[in-house]
Amino acid sequence: MKEVATHCPYCALQCGMMLRERPSGIEVGPRDFPTNRGGLCQKGWTAAELLDHPERLATPLIGGREATWDEAYSLIVEKILDIQRRNSKDGIAVFGGGGLTNEKVYSLGKFARVALGTRYIDYNGRFCMSSAAAASTRAFGLDRGMPFPLADLAHADTLMLIGANVVETMPPFARYLTEQRRGGGTQIVVDPRATATARNATLHLQPTPGTDLALALGLLHIAVAEGLVDRSYVDGRTTGWEAVKAGVAGYWPARVERITGIPVSDLEFTARALKRGKAIILTARGAEQHSKGVDTVSAFINLALALGLPGTPGCGFGTLTGQGNGQGGREHGQKADQLPGYRRIDDPAARAHMAKVWGIEADEIPGPGVSAYEMLDLLGTHIKALLVFGSNPVVSAPNARHIERKLRSLDFLVVCDFVLSETAALADVVLPVAQWAEEDGTMTNLEGRVIRRRALRKPPPGIGTDLAVLAELGARLSQGNTGVRFDSAPHIVFEELRRATAGGVADYAGVTWERVDAEDGVFWPCPSADRAGTPRLFETSFPTPDGRARMIPVEHRPVAEEVDAEFPLYLTTGRVLSQYQSGAQTRRILPDEVFVEMHPDLASRLGFAEGTPVRVISRRGEILAPARLSAAIRPDTVFAPFHYPGVNTLTSPALDPTSRMPEFKVCAVRLEQA
Ligand code: SF4
């Protein structure tokens, strides 16, 4: 029997697991890793079922017919060169994913900039973490979702979760919440729905969708009024306090109650609880996937800084990552504005550094592109061909019907996947690639811990790997440029990644696969092999020019699409326990169906019962879904899980002005009898 210690292929908790090859098939077993301590959710337990799934692709497809790899590569290169000749190098775009390994993310960014010479590359993580990343970077000078280990949560006196339903989305995470409550801690959960996480909390705050920003401003107003601000921390470790203090003066409790619907007494309880002992504030997609997501996270960071939390032992502020490599996926160069090591692509020093690593001139590196939704919106006009790796935008992009039309308008679409996802079904060429248990690599979990994914077996015959695809296409497209090299071996790519990130914000120079194996992962930054990683950040200073965190004044503003007489209800989207992201993997293992959750009072007003087929209609699209009645949701709001085709035809493409994050979490809809 062969077995390896590895990690779950799905979410950012990256639970440790054992994989065993038995005569009866591949079996998942528990593994005592520091984050999940043996626990797995149903997605993890069933992850191996996809490895030998009958719907798995076995050969490349050209126009739907089976083809050889050489035919597929030749056609891709011919089309790329032709489109580049007839348009420009920016006529080709690349779309990546937050589930790809660090090695793949790095190679994808290099492939786009060096082999294709295009500025158009972005990825589906823009839909998840970009608002948290932008707010953390502008405040702290660095974006690592959790700047402290998960284990710290269990010891907090007060824990505040805003827009996070970890009990359902990451069940093994819940043990930290349970431990914290059992230790006498106070837990406050902010969510428009009484989720399993909210129901377990000491206090559930149930705001009107799109009003978390006002909530944060109101809490800081109370902290100022009641003398809860840590003046010595604010004076010694931050800048910008006076403007922020002046900015919250207008958010008195009664006004915030009117905006958010949260009673004044609950606002006061929350502000006071955050000042008692050790406190930690965590935001997630519920607060971030808005057209004001960056300002919302900034408002909670301001609150945390005013209370003296970031960098204080046992306290802190963090943002929860969702996708498997949501953290590493945003560090190594698949974002439109970024080079590896979390460097900016418009920084001359960063360009010079990367040009040296890549063996090209700095002025050969293209400039910044545009964000994921904006890039998809250019398909068929500026962009004629798209290469997709590890993503399924037909299901996961907002305003999805429009995006599907855009994909259909391309001259040429290539998708690398292991099943025929909804996006792959539209492709001119589909390349079948290995799954997580068939290749080595590294991921960076939600704590910033670099971990090792280990292969249990080789890919089946005829199946490639993402790295091999990039290496082969890179070699064919870079002919004549002998200084440029694309490797398909993940450990060699990781060595190049170490050199590339050296000196950057996300510095992996001291991380080796051997260290990761020996130390249960290594926390970045880790600038040299003789230095330990950094589990806790900001203990003595922030990585800003003056070493202080920056407090940024922000203002509440309405959602991009308010309810009105025609579309009188808020729609909010989110996840369910059984599914991961666009569901391309999990829907094939744990088939279940879309539903629309609504309050019984709303259902009775509209004449719906449990299971009634309902049309959910927005300005962009509509879906048919059975009604699911639950008193856990506000009567003015309905909920639908986004894992299923169609749900994102409803959602709004309104973008945050800074992060370019779409407003997935709220749009206006109406319900009709089917
Ligand atoms: Fe753990 Fe997430 Fe995998 Fe579930 S999906 S087993 S929580 S890593």
Side-chain angles (χ1 to χ4, degrees), residues 29-303:
R31 176 183 168 207
D32 189 18
F33 195 73
T35 49
N36 61 310
R37 301 186 207 156
L40 293 171
C41 75
Q42 67 184 106
K43 296 187 286 290
W45 286 117
T46 56
E49 289 178 26
L50 205 58
L51 291 167
D52 295 311
H53 196 280
E55 288 180 57
R56 188 160 182 192
L57 298 171
T59 65
L61 301 175
I62 296 179
R65 70 164 174 86
E66 294 186 358
T68 67
W69 279 91
D70 190 55
E71 274 181 280
Y73 282 137
S74 298
L75 180 64
I76 294 169
V77 170
E78 180 194 317
K79 288 282 188 184
I80 287 174
L81 294 176
D82 180 53
I83 289 168
Q84 285 178 334
R85 247 191 321 270
R86 287 190 290 114
N87 300 272
S88 73
K89 292 198 168 178
D90 287 339
I92 318 286
V94 176
F95 198 87
L100 300 172
T101 61
N102 290 321
E103 292 79 2
K104 293 180 187 184
V105 169
Y106 173 79
S107 287
L108 199 61
K110 177 179 174 180
F111 174 78
R113 274 64 178 250
V114 178
L116 295 176
T118 179
R119 67 192 176 105
Y120 288 127
I121 175 169
D122 214 63
Y123 79 123
N124 64 16
R126 180 76 68 172
F127 300 154
C128 297
M129 289 303 297
S130 54
S131 287
S136 296
T137 301
R138 76 182 183 184
F140 304 131
L142 175 152
D143 157 43
R144 199 182 87 190
M146 287 185 70
F148 45 80
L150 265 174
D152 286 10
L153 300 181
H155 307 292
D157 295 300
T158 299
L159 190 53
M160 184 177 189
L161 291 162
I162 306 113
N165 181 15
V166 290
V167 170
E168 268 185 271
T169 56
M170 299 179 173
F173 187 116
R175 72 168 58 230
Y176 297 100
L177 305 188
T178 306
E179 282 175 33
Q180 191 256 350
R181 284 193 308 273
R182 286 199 181 135
T186 301
Q187 223 168 76
I188 299 160
V189 172
V190 182
D191 201 307
R193 300 167 66 219
T195 60
T197 312
R199 289 196 298 274
N200 290 337
T202 318
L203 176 66
H204 172 206
L205 307 180
Q206 198 165 12
T208 305
T211 63
D212 293 337
L213 176 46
L215 167 64
L217 296 168
L219 293 174
L220 186 49
H221 177 103
I222 294 169
V224 172
E226 298 196 3
L228 306 175
V229 173
D230 184 338
R231 282 311 305 248
S232 96
Y233 180 99
V234 167
D235 292 344
R237 300 206 58 188
T238 73
T239 58
W241 167 241
E242 290 305 327
V244 165
K245 182 179 161 197
V248 300
Y251 291 87
W252 58 91
R255 181 183 173 214
V256 173
E257 178 178 315
R258 276 200 302 279
I259 298 172
T260 63
I262 296 172
V264 168
S265 56
D266 287 351
L267 297 172
E268 289 170 346
F269 176 92
T270 302
R272 290 167 196 162
L274 287 170
K275 190 58 190 169
R276 269 198 303 275
K278 293 181 282 188
I280 293 177
I281 300 174
L282 293 172
T283 68
R285 298 310 80 69
E288 297 158 12
Q289 286 179 319
H290 291 272
S291 58
K292 54 179 179 294
V294 176
D295 286 353
T296 301
V297 178
S298 289
F300 281 104
I301 291 176
N302 289 343
L303 175 67

Side-chain angles (χ1 to χ4, degrees), residues 7-17 36 39-45 169-173 577 580:
H7 295 267
C8 173
Y10 299 123
C11 83
L13 194 56
Q14 283 296 291
C15 295
M17 61 165 57
N36 61 310
L40 293 171
C41 75
Q42 67 184 106
K43 296 187 286 290
W45 286 117
T169 56
M170 299 179 173
F173 187 116
L577 171 62
Y580 175 69

Side-chain angles (χ1 to χ4, degrees), residues 547-563:
R548 292 165 178 253
R550 296 172 285 228
M551 298 176 94
I552 314 283
V554 291
E555 282 285 340
H556 173 69
R557 52 188 188 271
V559 296
E561 190 177 78
E562 268 296 359
V563 294

